[in-house]
Structure formats: C-alpha cells, structure tokens
Amino acid sequence: VRILRIPLLAVAAQIVITAAPALMPLPVKVEFGSGWLKLDRDSGVMSASGCPDPRVERALARFAARIARQTGVPIGVPLAVECGAVSDDESYQLDVTPTSARLKAASGAGALHGLATLAQLIEPGPDGFRIAAVHIEDRPRFPWRGLMLDVSRHWIPVEVVERNLDAMAAVKLNVFHWHLSDDQGFRVESKRFPRLQQFGSDGDFYTQDQIRQVVEYARDRGIRVVPEFDIPGHTQSWLAAYPELATVPGTYSIGRTWGAYDPVMDPTREEVYEFLDTFIGEMAALFPDAYFHIGGDEVNPKQWDASAQVQAFLKEHDLKDAHALQAYFNQRIQKILEKYGKLMIGWDEILHPDLPASIVIQSWRNQQALADAAKQGRRGILSWGYYLDHLSPASYHYGIDPLNGAQLTTEQAANVLGGEACMWAEYVNAETVDSRIWPRAAAIAERLWSAKEVTNVDSMYARLEVVSRNLEWTGIQHRAGYAPMLDRLTGGHSAEPLRILADASEAQGLRVRSRGKKNTSLTPLNRFVDAVRPESESVRALEHADLAVLREQFGRWAGNDARFQALAAENPMLTELKPLSKDLSALGAMGLRILGYLAGSGPAPKAWIAAQNAELTRIQRPNAEVVLAAARPVKMLLDRLAKR
Amino acid sequence: VRILRIPLLAVAAQIVITAAPALMPLPVKVEFGSGWLKLDRDSGVMSASGCPDPRVERALARFAARIARQTGVPIGVPLAVECGAVSDDESYQLDVTPTSARLKAASGAGALHGLATLAQLIEPGPDGFRIAAVHIEDRPRFPWRGLMLDVSRHWIPVEVVERNLDAMAAVKLNVFHWHLSDDQGFRVESKRFPRLQQFGSDGDFYTQDQIRQVVEYARDRGIRVVPEFDIPGHTQSWLAAYPELATVPGTYSIGRTWGAYDPVMDPTREEVYEFLDTFIGEMAALFPDAYFHIGGDEVNPKQWDASAQVQAFLKEHDLKDAHALQAYFNQRIQKILEKYGKLMIGWDEILHPDLPASIVIQSWRNQQALADAAKQGRRGILSWGYYLDHLSPASYHYGIDPLNGAQLTTEQAANVLGGEACMWAEYVNAETVDSRIWPRAAAIAERLWSAKEVTNVDSMYARLEVVSRNLEWTGIQHRAGYAPMLDRLTGGHSAEPLRILADASEAQGLRVRSRGKKNTSLTPLNRFVDAVRPESESVRALEHADLAVLREQFGRWAGNDARFQALAAENPMLTELKPLSKDLSALGAMGLRILGYLAGSGPAPKAWIAAQNAELTRIQRPNAEVVLAAARPVKMLLDRLAKR
C-alpha cells in the first residue's frame, strides 16, 4: 500500500499521495527520512513536561489509550512535547527519528494538532507497529475551521455531540457552531426564561450543566464552541413560549414542518430588547467564546409588512424596508453583545453598512458575498458549498475554496477567516447524523487546513477511506447504523439483496427530499434513504476495477432483483424500492452486454448505444430519494464502447 | 417465512416454531386467531388509563417511539392497557383482534412484559405493518431472571449499562446484578470512605448520582438492581485504599492480573465490622432493592492460616476451619444487613447451617449444590452453566435447566428462584461487552421464563437471529463493533480476507484465554479474538445449506489464504492468524474434495477419510484463541461420505 513517499512542499501543486500513512488534512510540509520508530512496550514514555497547557497532558493520556487499542502496546512512544503559552498560533513541528519523537508547538492547540497527525502516522509494519521517520512542519491555512450542527430540527443528545467533537479534533477542525434554536425547537435551559425550554423543546434540551460539560469537552480538544440563537426570524419555538415577542399577537406552537416560518420578533418594541438583553446576558455567561451567533437568516417580512405599528416605526426612523429594519434590530443586538463582551457573527443577511466592522459574516447564499465583504474590510467565513445536508459527494465540497475566484489583496484575503461545514437537521436524527457528517466533513477540514494547491481528488478519496475507518473505531458511528437499519427494514431478517441494492445506491439530500412527500419533524427517518450512505465506496472501487471484477458485480446486480422482489413481496417498507431494484438489475444486464461487445471485435450498433444512453439517463434520476451510483461504472464502459 | 402457527400450550413438548413473529421468551400460551390488526396512522391511540403504575405510561411512550422507527407510523396502535397495583405477579394477557389490542396485567411489571411481547409481534405484511390476531396468556416460570455484570475487572460506563438494561427488558429479564467491587476495582463512590474510589478505581467509578440514575432507569423497565460488594475475599481494591482491613498488615495495590488474590479481610477484628457497618449502611440507602449481595466466593485461607491472631480466634470461638470462620463473618454481616432491612445473597460458598433460612444462595460451582440447598429449605438461583464469559454456544446455556436432574417436591422446587447469566469481565471491555452478552443471554432469558418443555434448539436459533437484529437497532451494540475492529487490525484498510476468516471463526472464552499469554487488566482487548463473535451465524447457516452454497463457500475459503497472507505480510496484529488462515483454506479444499467424492458414484478411500478426520481433529483445536467453526459443515459432509 505504500506507493509514494514524496516530500511535499506548500508550493507543490497536484502531488498525489495515495500512500499510507493517510494524513488528512495533509500537512504543509512532509519530508520522510529513512528508518522507522518502532512502537513496543519498552520503546519509551511520553512527556508533556515542556508544555504549560494542561490540555496537552490529557490529550497524551487519550493518545496512549488510542495506541493501546490500535496496537496492543500500552505505552510505547518516546515522545517529548514542548509548547508555548496559549495563543492563536496553531502551528507545530513534528520530528520522528528511529529512536524518538519530538513535537514542538507554538501553543497547546498546536500540540493537540501535532498529536492528531502523529496518530495518523501509526501504521503496521513487518516487525510491529511503527511510525516512519519524518519531519513535518504544519500550520492551518485558515484560523476558522468549523462544523455547524443544527440540534433544533431534530434533537441530538450530548453523547452524539461529544463523539462528533472527538472526530472534529482528529481532522483539526477547531470551531463547533451549535445551532441551538430554530422554529422547530429551543434546545438550551434558560433559568431566566424557563418557558423557552418548557414550551419550545418537547422536553429535549441541554441543561446548563450539560452545556458547560460540552464546552469543556470541546475546549479540551482545542475546539471553540460558538452558540447560535437565531433571531429575529426562525423563532417560532421561542414564540410558543413567549408569544408577546412576536410582531403579530397570537398563540404560536413549535414548528413541525420545514422552511422559514412567517412569525418573527417585533423589532419595534423595547420589551423585546429587554428580553433579549437578559437572555443574551445569561447565555453569554454560559458560553465563554468571544463570538456569539445571532443567526439573522431568512427573515420573512410578512408580519412586518402587515403590522401598522411596524410600518409607522419604519417611517418614524426613516428605515426604507425590511432589510433596513433588520439592520436596525441587529445594531441594537450588537450593542447588547458588546455590553457582554461578545463579538457578533451572523448569516450573510446581517451584512449592512450600518453595522460595525467587528461583525463576522457567515456566507451561505453564495461565494461572491464573502469576497465583496472582504473587499469592504468585513471579515467572514464560507458555508456556501459546504452544506452537508445536500449529501453531495466529498469531491464537490473539496473543490470549493473560500478564496475561489476572488481577486483579493493579501490584506483583503485575511478577512476570509475560513469556513464551516453545515449539518442542517431536517433529515437527520441521532441515529443517522454521524453518517451524514462523516467522512465528508474530513474533506472540508482538509480544504480549510491544507495548502490551496492540494486538490487531487483521487488522493483525497484514498486517504479519506482510511480516515473514515479510523474515525469509526475511535468513536463516531457513521458506519455502524447501516446494517441494523437495513435489517430493520426487513423485519429482523438477513437483508442480503437489500444490502446489495443499498451498496449500489447513494442517498439524496435536502433538495431531492423536500420535493417528495410532505415530511415533518415527527416523520420517522427509518426508510431506505436514511440507511443508505451519501457516497458508495463500493461503486467508487468499481470505477477503478478490472473487467473481471466488473463482470462479477454486474452478474450479482443482474440476479439481485428476483431475490429482492421475493423479499419485498410482503413488506411495505420495501415497496417504494421495487422499481429501483429493477433498474439495478437492468444495469447489471446492460453492463454484461457492454462487456460482451468489448470482448468481441466489432463495434456495437449505434442505435443500441443510443438506447442504452437514454436508459442510463432515466435510471440516473432520483428514485425513492436515492440515486443508483451503479450507473456510473456502466456509463464509463458504454462511453468506452462508443469511442471504438 | 411464516411456516407454522401452532397454538402452544404449556404442556406441549418440543413444538417447533421457526415462524415469524419471533417471540422470545416464548409465552406460555399463544393462540393465533384469524386476520390482522393493521398499524397505520389512523388506526388508533394507546392508553394506559387502566393502570395505576406510572411506569406503564412511560413504557408506552418508548413503545410508540419504537414503532415509529420501525414502521414509519408515528402513533397507530389502538391499545388499551389495564393493570393491577404493584405486586410480584408478572403475568399478563394480550388479546389482539383485527380492530384493537388489549393488554391486561396483574401488575405494572406484567404490563411492561406484555408490551415487550407486543413489540415482537409487529411484522411487515403486504398492506403495511401489522400484528396477527392472537390470544396470549403468559407468566414467568421463575421469578428471578438475572444478568450479572462485572464492572470491576474492566470498567463499563453508565451508557453501556443502560443500553444493556434496555435489552434485558426486551427479553423479560428482571434482575440486574451489579458486581461492583473485586480485586481489580472498586466502582462506587462512597462518601463515608472516599479512599475506596480514590485508591481503588483508577478514577473509573460511578458517582452516587449515577447509581441513582441507573437504579431508576432499571426500575422504569421492570428491573431490580442487586448490588454486589464481594467480601471478605476478592477485596484487593478495598485494601489498596484501607490496608488496615486486611488480615496481614502491608501495603496493597489494585489487582492487575486474574484469579483470586491472597489478601482477605480480617474477620477477627471489630474495626472491620464497624467499617462494614458504616459502608453497608451507606450503600443500603443507595440501592433500594431488598437484596444485598455480599459475594463470598473463593476466599483464599492463606492469610488466615498464616495469622497467629486468626488462629487464636478460631480456637477461642471453637471454629474448626476457614469455612467456619467465613460463616462466622457472614453471620455478623447478615446481622448488619438485617439492621438496614436487607436480605443477604451470596455465592454458594456462603451456604452454612449457622446462617438463617432467609439467605439466598447463588450457585456457580455446580448444579447439585442448588438442589441440595432447596431440599434443606434454602432458596437459591443458578448461575452454573450460565457463564457468558466462557463464550459457549447459546444452545449449551439453553440446555441448562435450574431444576435439571433434581428430584424435588413442589415445595422444594419453589426454593429455586431462577437464575442469572454471568458476564465476568476479564476479557471484555466497554467496546466488546455487548457482543459477549447478546444475543446469547436471550436464550438464557427464555430458559428462565418459558415452559420447561420449550427446548427445541432449531426453533430457538431461528428466533434468536431475529431477536438479535432487533436488539441491535433498539440500542445494544453487540454487532456494531465487528467491522470497525477488523478494519482497525488492518490499519484502516478494507479487510475482506480478514472478514472471511472472522466469519468462519468463533472466539473462545475464559478457559482458553487464561491458558494463553499472561493477560492483565491493562492488556488491550484489540485482537482478532476480541472482534470475532462467540458463535458464527454464517457457519450455522452453512450447516443447513444446499450443496451449491457449500461449494461456493468452500471455494471462497480455499482461495482466501493467498489474499490473507498478502494482507498479513507487513502487519504484526495479523501474524498470529497465519496458521489459522492456512487451516481455513485447507478446510475449503477438503470440503471441495468431499463434494467431489459425493458427486461421484464410488466410495472414497477409507484411509483418505481417516486422514481427513485426523486433520479435522487438529484443526478444531483453539488457535489464536479462536476455533474454526468452518470445520463443522466439512465434518458433517465427511461423516456423510464415510457412511456411504
């Protein structure tokens, strides 16, 4: 498996590393030496004596536990860690020789990153586990590398959050953006306004003790926690508790369907600011990070347009429209945040000349807004292109660079702080969320950490597959739910034909699912699409397989439908999959016929090829909210045949 | 899959039910009617209005959530539950008609069991999920149906305990015996003696809040929690904290190796009883159950024999030996327990004429002791034959009946309260423990609940496989660790040849593992044997497969070694498996040759058959602490060939 060992420089473009060890994100500089540091019981002890940051000591203990599980060697790395005081500098330098390892970092955070890299360097060798002699210099390209998790639309318990924090640390993500309120749920205990959790959460909320626990857990892993309380729109769950905050009087209940709701807070009344001042004061004390996310996206002006009081307020304050009114609201909120020592961050709708330069814009609607803001001296982060809930392939996200296409000076570029992968929760719950974040978020993590020139997709996927498996046994459960969920669909019986269909399929995301039957937050996420992965590893392998392997797989697909239909005959959960299964078998038969033509000498009839292409186009449309990835290798072969 | 629907009576012997639904434990009486109750959104609401026990309401909410995950129907069972007041009567009656379901139970506990049965009855049908019309009358054969979990030798966190409680409730186990202290760890926070957890736990212990949480969690699911604090032996971890309790003065540290340790508490000193009085008083308040387990097993008399003070005490009190001294100790402890309103339970070594009739004996050394005790009017439970850590097949445990071979009167038989599956933790940890308890504990649960005559092993396995899969998605993780642990062994690469080897293997338990290299509590449980399951489902399927399936599988085995050796070449974690893999391929080749002889007309040479038998005998010995289950179907075919 060790194919290449090329010293990698930050300036080197398009270097392929498909080799072990699978480093992700790829460091700035990797120079392999000769020889190996062997890991065994007597090879040495770890010491963080040169580190004032106590987090490093705890990280070493976790590192030792990881090595023990992986290699069977309880303690065995002669590793010395030195680091500077706490600072923003996340750089580190790692030197492994055949006799020892030395990790030197500017700060505790840098040391944590260096340990994450060292963990990825451990590999089996002929005489035992070992680490290649190597010199690594590394630092992040962007300081803000985040994962946003929506816990409002579906409830995500503490232990799921914590295991995702572990996975984030493993790929050097350093900001956990916790989307804690939305129309569908308010998820934090407020002692000042307990109705928020009592009437806005269906009982699913984090206690303040749990919040502190998670913040501490994250901090220990070098991760900041930025809370988001989305205002003034997306607040239906607040209004269920405190209807007096709404622009239009009424009674409100927790949102159950998707999309932005009409009700919004009333920015014209002082009581609203008094409420938010008290609330923000309470939350500012709970979340120590300097930033406080106020959402601000998709404010529906319907209630404002309909309110005589709001219209009078606009005239009185010379505000020309709803966006101006929102800016007025944000200015007021910004002053409250300032009072509590917090910096404002919000979605790109909060961008407005009247707001101070200190605010940070999270760009979700397009990439241009971020560049424009940067040119105006505004700081921002990119989330457009990093929406995990669309279930796009990792390669798509990997191709999105926060500085793509923007002609920025160095100074302007520094305003682009980084980016955040976003996990919106319309179609995920505690059972499925891991599989929708990982491993794809690791590709985004590499985009935000590694050099701009590191863009080779084959290298990324080769390393991603290893990272994905390592994440699984270190705690995240993105692969664990697959088989049980498929077994559940068949009433507890072995689901081999269903697994073959699932392996050949890719789940579709928000765009496709929101077209389908009306889903609500109460709809169980227990269908085939929920079990199926966003990307099929086995189909990706087929795209690089030889013809014998393809023939075997096509044969399996061709024969699968008969077995599947027998399984589905009495099972309503499988009814929607009957056409899909038929298509898979058709793909198998088509693939076998193409292989037949390729094995023969003459060309295939043009009309036949055209008919197959038409059929492939039909098959590649979403069906039961999944797409048959299996069509891709068949299409590749058909194109090859057509070229003959 | 629906093969048989036979009304089952308690008196009917050897009735095969391989049909869905997979009921386990099998109820006393099942009479299927005609028609089905369909589950859909409009079919009705659940009500526990006839139940004074508030646990039933909460169980209904969990039941609704389960149905939603399974069927996609949020609420849809027109179910009325009635039950009597809290009592020991766990019986229930369930009536399902095409229009409604009615659950009537003597107590809240009975209602919980009825809901567990109803959950198992849900199955897919041609028009949607449904429940067959049925009349069920059910009650347990034994009142004490337990699972003992050792959390001392390896630490088991709260969430792992809780998911096991969920699984216990699903198969109607009703006693969680929590083995909380042993030589290798003291696992409960004591506020009176905090050194116990400070010096006896390596930091891994349950806080009192967590204990209360688990007890409440269990109670909510109809499960009693019986705590065990093992005294006066198996107390090395206590002595690490309070060496003054020991018979021989000295300094002690937490045990790291297996087996009973020499140090024991000193039964001759009043301070020891004062300590235990205070301690038991504290714990008695923490654990509300009427029973308190004092262990009492494997007391090593070495320190007592060596102590002049103890020897003098024996003479003075006319105690003839160590066993008499332990009985003296137990009498003192029994009086302390009585003071705190607790009944004593202990391992069979505590059986002694001087102890009152109220004590309960847990028989682990043999079955005869239990029968003898019952004849003497002593109550007891069986654990001999139910030791899960031996990794015996489910069929073995299933064949052990608490009343086997004993000639007891009805009155004497009533002294046998039931049994407990025991999960000792020398070779399990949080990652692997689920896979060592489940699904085998479900077979023991059936033995303890269902009629004595329900002994058909094929029926048991057919239902167990379904129960196993249903347990997985309802929370337990006994199947989830398999693939990631195998992937980990190969450094994060896809482990297909290793998986084929693992599927063909069965992990061996304590007896085999304690023969191997010296393991301690610090040895990581990360080897092949830890990933491999105790029973191979796929080999069991082969034992019932047709020749074509066998031929395909033999071919795969025959070809696997070449691929495996390539994988293992540079991987020390796989080195120990090289001979095993060779044997698997040899089995494949042997199987193919046997099939060749069977397909031919003539007999095979006798000498050849004898040679193959010898080879099979060799192959069936444990190797790398696993056994190749794959040998079984090959042996079956060879026997068939030999008979020709």
Side-chain angles (χ1 to χ4, degrees):
Chain A
V1 288
R2 181 175 309 272
I3 300 171
L4 287 176
R5 283 206 171 278
I6 301 177
L8 182 80
L9 302 167
V11 292
Q14 304 302 332
I15 289 178
V16 180
I17 298 202
T18 56
L23 296 174
M24 180 171 267
L26 208 55
V28 168
K29 185 174 179 179
V30 180
E31 289 175 351
F32 283 102
S34 61
W36 308 83
L37 174 62
K38 279 181 57 181
L39 299 184
D40 56 47
R41 206 168 292 260
D42 308 314
S43 56
V45 291
M46 299 190 288
S47 149
S49 58
C51 254
D53 186 336
R55 293 181 299 175
V56 178
E57 194 89 47
R58 292 192 290 274
L60 275 184
R62 293 196 300 273
F63 184 67
R66 179 201 162 108
I67 292 178
R69 279 177 81 187
Q70 186 175 4
T71 70
V73 179
I75 299 162
V77 189
L79 169 67
V81 186
E82 300 161 41
C83 61
V86 173
S87 82
D88 288 342
D89 187 341
E90 298 178 85
S91 69
Y92 69 91
Q93 186 175 317
L94 185 60
D95 283 283
V96 180
T97 72
T99 53
S100 69
R102 189 158 150 272
L103 170 61
K104 209 176 153 177
S107 68
L112 299 181
H113 295 318
L115 281 176
T117 300
L118 194 58
Q120 292 181 338
L121 282 165
I122 297 168
E123 54 179 326
D127 309 319
F129 277 87
R130 60 186 188 175
I131 300 174
V134 72
H135 168 73
I136 290 178
E137 292 172 27
D138 203 10
R139 80 198 68 88
R141 183 170 164 226
F142 294 104
W144 190 303
R145 304 175 308 279
L147 171 68
M148 188 219 75
L149 182 64
D150 169 11
V151 298
S152 169
R153 291 184 174 84
H154 280 96
W155 168 241
I156 306 292
V158 166
E159 64 267 25
V160 182
V161 171
E162 289 185 345
R163 68 189 187 217
N164 276 283
L165 289 167
D166 281 314
M168 285 176 67
V171 294
K172 304 184 174 66
L173 291 172
N174 67 345
V175 180
F176 177 57
H177 169 175
W178 210 352
H179 185 81
L180 288 160
S181 75
D182 213 308
D183 295 311
Q184 292 83 3
F186 188 95
R187 303 299 183 193
V188 180
E189 175 192 24
S190 168
K191 293 187 193 291
R192 304 302 301 267
F193 301 108
R195 288 175 61 93
L196 283 171
Q197 69 269 19
Q198 284 162 9
F199 291 85
S201 78
D202 299 305
D204 288 327
F205 63 91
Y206 308 106
T207 65
Q208 295 204 352
D209 276 346
Q210 288 175 317
I211 295 282
R212 277 185 283 267
Q213 172 191 330
V214 169
V215 167
E216 182 58 27
Y217 193 95
R219 209 192 70 82
D220 227 33
R221 284 151 183 81
I223 298 170
R224 298 163 38 212
V225 176
V226 176
E228 176 182 352
F229 296 97
D230 201 349
I231 49 174
H234 283 290
T235 47
Q236 181 97 357
S237 65
W238 308 55
L239 304 181
Y242 296 96
E244 60 270 30
L245 300 174
T247 304
V248 173
T251 56
Y252 296 94
S253 55
I254 295 173
R256 301 296 179 198
T257 56
W258 310 134
Y261 281 72
D262 294 344
V264 291
M265 289 183 177
D266 187 343
T268 71
R269 277 189 290 124
E270 284 308 308
E271 307 91 275
V272 172
Y273 297 105
E274 283 159 23
F275 179 99
L276 289 172
D277 189 324
T278 306
F279 175 77
I280 289 171
E282 183 184 13
M283 293 300 132
L286 194 56
F287 293 93
D289 198 69
Y291 288 87
F292 197 99
H293 203 301
I294 58 118
D297 57 318
E298 300 185 311
V299 178
N300 191 330
K302 210 165 150 182
Q303 285 201 341
W304 292 348
D305 291 345
S307 159
Q309 183 183 331
V310 170
Q311 294 308 314
F313 188 89
L314 288 184
K315 273 203 193 118
E316 185 189 334
H317 289 75
D318 199 20
L319 298 165
K320 74 172 180 342
D321 57 12
H323 188 227
L325 181 59
Q326 191 184 348
Y328 168 86
F329 174 81
N330 287 342
Q331 284 174 277
R332 298 285 305 264
I333 299 301
Q334 192 273 327
K335 291 203 179 72
I336 294 170
L337 288 175
E338 201 170 87
K339 184 170 82 176
Y340 294 113
K342 298 294 180 185
L343 294 165
M344 179 188 276
I345 172 168
W347 300 102
D348 48 22
E349 287 95 329
I350 72 162
L351 184 59
H352 193 278
D354 291 347
L355 282 157
S358 63
I359 68 165
V360 173
I361 303 301
Q362 181 164 17
S363 189
W364 70 281
R365 291 184 298 186
N366 58 66
Q367 188 154 14
Q368 194 53 44
L370 185 66
D372 293 346
K375 281 180 191 161
Q376 297 163 29
R378 300 280 189 169
R379 294 178 308 154
I381 59 174
L382 184 65
S383 279
W384 174 87
Y386 298 146
Y387 268 34
L388 295 167
D389 57 315
H390 289 183
L391 303 196
S392 310
S395 55
Y396 166 78
H397 299 303
Y398 197 60
I400 308 284
D401 191 295
L403 296 179
N404 256 5
Q407 302 295 329
L408 301 177
T409 65
T410 308
E411 199 182 341
Q412 289 166 348
N415 288 327
V416 177
L417 301 177
E420 278 186 4
C422 289
M423 185 73 254
W424 296 104
E426 280 91 343
Y427 296 96
V428 299
N429 60 17
E431 180 175 54
T432 64
V433 68
D434 289 6
S435 73
R436 273 53 186 146
I437 298 176
W438 306 101
R440 293 177 305 134
I444 299 174
E446 173 152 299
R447 174 58 43 245
L448 296 174
W449 177 284
S450 303
K452 188 181 177 64
E453 294 76 17
V454 176
T455 54
N456 186 294
V457 168
D458 288 338
S459 162
M460 181 274 286
Y461 273 122
R463 290 176 289 118
L464 189 67
E465 289 194 7
V466 177
V467 167
S468 178
R469 287 185 169 76
N470 283 336
L471 285 175
E472 177 78 26
W473 69 260
T474 50
I476 207 76
Q477 297 190 4
H478 62 302
R479 300 169 70 91
Y482 186 65
M485 288 182 76
L486 292 177
D487 287 350
R488 187 169 70 205
L489 289 169
T490 55
H493 295 278
S494 175
E496 184 64 7
L498 185 63
R499 195 188 55 74
I500 289 172
L501 186 61
D503 281 350
S505 301
E506 291 178 344
Q508 299 298 293
L510 183 78
R511 282 187 199 137
V512 168
R513 296 195 75 169
S514 57
R515 271 187 243 148
K517 63 165 186 147
K518 205 67 200 161
N519 284 291
T520 75
S521 59
L522 301 176
T523 307
L525 298 175
N526 67 341
R527 289 164 59 212
F528 182 71
V529 59
D530 297 300
V532 165
R533 295 171 177 142
E535 286 193 88
S536 167
E537 265 189 18
S538 57
V539 169
R540 192 158 62 231
L542 284 181
E543 293 177 84
H544 299 91
D546 60 32
L547 296 186
V549 172
L550 284 167
R551 184 171 295 113
E552 192 191 334
Q553 189 62 52
F554 291 161
R556 198 169 296 139
W557 289 345
N560 197 57
D561 188 49
R563 294 168 65 208
F564 177 83
Q565 300 293 344
L567 190 70
E570 293 221 332
N571 187 331
M573 296 297 290
L574 305 183
T575 304
E576 63 172 342
L577 305 177
K578 288 180 178 179
L580 193 79
S581 170
K582 233 175 169 167
D583 283 351
L584 179 63
S585 284
L587 280 174
M590 189 191 298
L592 290 173
R593 286 198 65 183
I594 297 172
L595 287 177
Y597 277 118
L598 286 170
S601 51
K606 277 210 159 57
W608 186 82
I609 290 179
Q612 307 315 302
N613 265 319
E615 179 70 351
L616 281 175
T617 303
R618 182 191 68 73
I619 286 177
Q620 285 186 290
R621 287 191 203 113
N623 192 341
E625 302 180 4
V626 307
V627 158
L628 280 175
R632 288 201 300 267
V634 176
K635 171 72 175 152
M636 275 172 53
L637 287 182
L638 187 65
D639 289 349
R640 199 196 295 182
L641 181 63
K643 276 197 198 115
R644 270 225 309 225
Chain B
V1 287
R2 181 177 307 275
I3 300 169
L4 287 176
R5 284 206 170 278
I6 301 176
L8 182 81
L9 302 167
V11 291
Q14 302 301 335
I15 289 177
V16 180
I17 297 202
T18 56
L23 296 175
M24 181 172 268
L26 210 54
V28 169
K29 184 174 181 181
V30 180
E31 289 175 351
F32 285 101
S34 61
W36 308 83
L37 174 62
K38 279 181 59 181
L39 299 184
D40 55 48
R41 205 168 292 261
D42 308 314
S43 57
V45 291
M46 299 192 287
S47 150
S49 59
C51 255
D53 187 334
R55 293 182 299 176
V56 179
E57 193 91 46
R58 292 192 291 274
L60 275 184
R62 293 195 301 273
F63 184 67
R66 180 201 162 111
I67 293 179
R69 279 177 81 187
Q70 185 174 4
T71 70
V73 179
I75 299 162
V77 189
L79 168 67
V81 186
E82 299 161 45
C83 62
V86 174
S87 83
D88 289 342
D89 186 341
E90 298 179 85
S91 68
Y92 68 91
Q93 185 175 320
L94 185 60
D95 284 284
V96 180
T97 72
T99 53
S100 68
R102 190 158 149 273
L103 170 60
K104 210 176 154 177
S107 68
L112 299 181
H113 295 317
L115 281 176
T117 300
L118 194 58
Q120 292 181 338
L121 282 165
I122 297 169
E123 57 180 325
D127 309 318
F129 277 87
R130 59 187 189 176
I131 301 174
V134 72
H135 168 74
I136 290 178
E137 292 171 27
D138 203 9
R139 81 196 68 87
R141 183 170 163 226
F142 294 104
W144 191 303
R145 306 176 306 280
L147 171 68
M148 189 220 73
L149 182 64
D150 169 10
V151 297
S152 169
R153 291 184 174 83
H154 279 96
W155 168 241
I156 306 293
V158 166
E159 65 267 24
V160 181
V161 171
E162 288 186 344
R163 69 190 186 217
N164 276 283
L165 289 167
D166 280 314
M168 286 176 67
V171 295
K172 305 185 175 64
L173 291 173
N174 68 345
V175 180
F176 177 59
H177 169 175
W178 211 351
H179 185 81
L180 287 161
S181 76
D182 213 308
D183 295 311
Q184 293 82 4
F186 188 96
R187 302 300 184 194
V188 180
E189 175 192 25
S190 167
K191 294 187 192 293
R192 304 302 300 269
F193 301 108
R195 288 175 61 92
L196 283 170
Q197 70 269 18
Q198 283 161 11
F199 291 84
S201 78
D202 298 305
D204 288 327
F205 63 90
Y206 309 105
T207 65
Q208 295 204 352
D209 276 346
Q210 287 175 318
I211 295 281
R212 277 185 283 267
Q213 173 192 329
V214 169
V215 167
E216 181 59 28
Y217 194 95
R219 210 193 68 83
D220 227 33
R221 284 149 184 81
I223 298 168
R224 298 163 37 211
V225 176
V226 176
E228 176 182 353
F229 296 96
D230 201 349
I231 49 176
H234 283 289
T235 47
Q236 181 98 356
S237 65
W238 308 54
L239 305 181
Y242 296 95
E244 60 270 29
L245 299 174
T247 304
V248 174
T251 56
Y252 297 93
S253 55
I254 295 174
R256 303 293 180 198
T257 56
W258 310 135
Y261 281 70
D262 293 345
V264 291
M265 289 182 178
D266 186 343
T268 69
R269 279 188 289 125
E270 284 307 308
E271 308 91 275
V272 171
Y273 297 105
E274 283 160 23
F275 180 98
L276 289 171
D277 189 323
T278 307
F279 174 77
I280 290 171
E282 182 184 13
M283 293 300 133
L286 194 56
F287 294 93
D289 198 69
Y291 288 86
F292 197 98
H293 203 300
I294 58 120
D297 57 319
E298 299 185 311
V299 178
N300 192 332
K302 211 165 151 182
Q303 286 202 341
W304 292 347
D305 292 345
S307 159
Q309 182 181 332
V310 169
Q311 294 308 314
F313 188 89
L314 288 184
K315 272 197 196 127
E316 185 188 333
H317 288 76
D318 199 20
L319 299 165
K320 73 173 186 330
D321 57 11
H323 188 226
L325 181 59
Q326 190 184 349
Y328 168 85
F329 174 80
N330 287 340
Q331 283 174 277
R332 299 286 304 263
I333 299 300
Q334 192 272 327
K335 290 203 180 70
I336 294 171
L337 288 175
E338 199 171 271
K339 184 170 80 175
Y340 295 113
K342 299 293 180 185
L343 294 165
M344 180 188 275
I345 171 169
W347 300 101
D348 47 23
E349 287 94 330
I350 73 163
L351 186 58
H352 194 277
D354 290 347
L355 281 157
S358 63
I359 69 164
V360 173
I361 303 300
Q362 181 164 18
S363 188
W364 71 281
R365 292 184 298 187
N366 59 66
Q367 189 154 15
Q368 194 53 45
L370 185 67
D372 293 345
K375 281 178 192 163
Q376 298 164 26
R378 300 279 188 169
R379 294 178 308 153
I381 59 175
L382 184 66
S383 279
W384 174 87
Y386 298 146
Y387 267 33
L388 294 168
D389 58 316
H390 290 184
L391 304 195
S392 310
S395 55
Y396 166 76
H397 300 302
Y398 197 60
I400 308 283
D401 191 295
L403 296 179
N404 258 5
Q407 302 294 329
L408 301 177
T409 66
T410 309
E411 199 182 340
Q412 289 166 346
N415 289 328
V416 178
L417 301 177
E420 281 186 3
C422 289
M423 184 73 255
W424 297 103
E426 280 90 344
Y427 295 98
V428 299
N429 60 17
E431 181 174 55
T432 63
V433 68
D434 289 6
S435 73
R436 273 54 184 142
I437 300 176
W438 307 102
R440 294 177 305 136
I444 299 174
E446 174 153 300
R447 175 58 43 244
L448 297 173
W449 177 284
S450 304
K452 190 180 176 61
E453 294 75 18
V454 175
T455 54
N456 186 293
V457 167
D458 288 337
S459 163
M460 180 274 285
Y461 274 123
R463 290 177 289 118
L464 190 67
E465 290 196 6
V466 177
V467 167
S468 177
R469 288 184 167 76
N470 283 335
L471 285 176
E472 177 77 27
W473 68 260
T474 50
I476 207 78
Q477 297 191 5
H478 61 303
R479 300 170 69 91
Y482 187 65
M485 288 182 76
L486 292 176
D487 287 351
R488 187 168 70 206
L489 289 169
T490 56
H493 295 277
S494 177
E496 184 65 7
L498 185 64
R499 193 188 58 73
I500 288 172
L501 186 61
D503 282 351
S505 302
E506 290 178 345
Q508 300 300 290
L510 182 78
R511 282 188 199 137
V512 169
R513 295 195 76 170
S514 57
R515 271 187 243 148
K517 63 167 184 145
K518 204 69 199 160
N519 284 291
T520 75
S521 59
L522 302 176
T523 308
L525 299 174
N526 66 341
R527 287 165 59 211
F528 183 71
V529 58
D530 298 300
V532 164
R533 296 172 176 140
E535 286 192 89
S536 168
E537 264 189 18
S538 56
V539 170
R540 192 159 60 232
L542 283 180
E543 294 177 85
H544 299 92
D546 60 32
L547 296 185
V549 172
L550 285 167
R551 185 171 295 114
E552 192 191 334
Q553 189 62 51
F554 291 161
R556 199 169 295 138
W557 290 344
N560 197 57
D561 188 48
R563 294 169 64 209
F564 177 83
Q565 299 293 345
L567 190 69
E570 294 221 331
N571 187 331
M573 297 297 290
L574 306 183
T575 305
E576 64 172 340
L577 306 177
K578 288 178 179 180
L580 193 78
S581 169
K582 234 173 169 168
D583 283 352
L584 179 63
S585 284
L587 281 173
M590 189 190 298
L592 289 173
R593 285 198 65 182
I594 298 171
L595 287 177
Y597 277 119
L598 285 170
S601 52
K606 278 212 158 57
W608 185 84
I609 290 178
Q612 305 316 302
N613 266 319
E615 178 70 351
L616 280 175
T617 303
R618 183 191 66 74
I619 287 178
Q620 284 186 289
R621 288 191 203 114
N623 191 341
E625 301 179 5
V626 306
V627 158
L628 280 175
R632 288 201 300 267
V634 177
K635 172 72 176 151
M636 275 172 53
L637 286 182
L638 187 65
D639 289 349
R640 198 195 296 181
L641 181 63
K643 280 199 196 113
R644 268 222 316 218

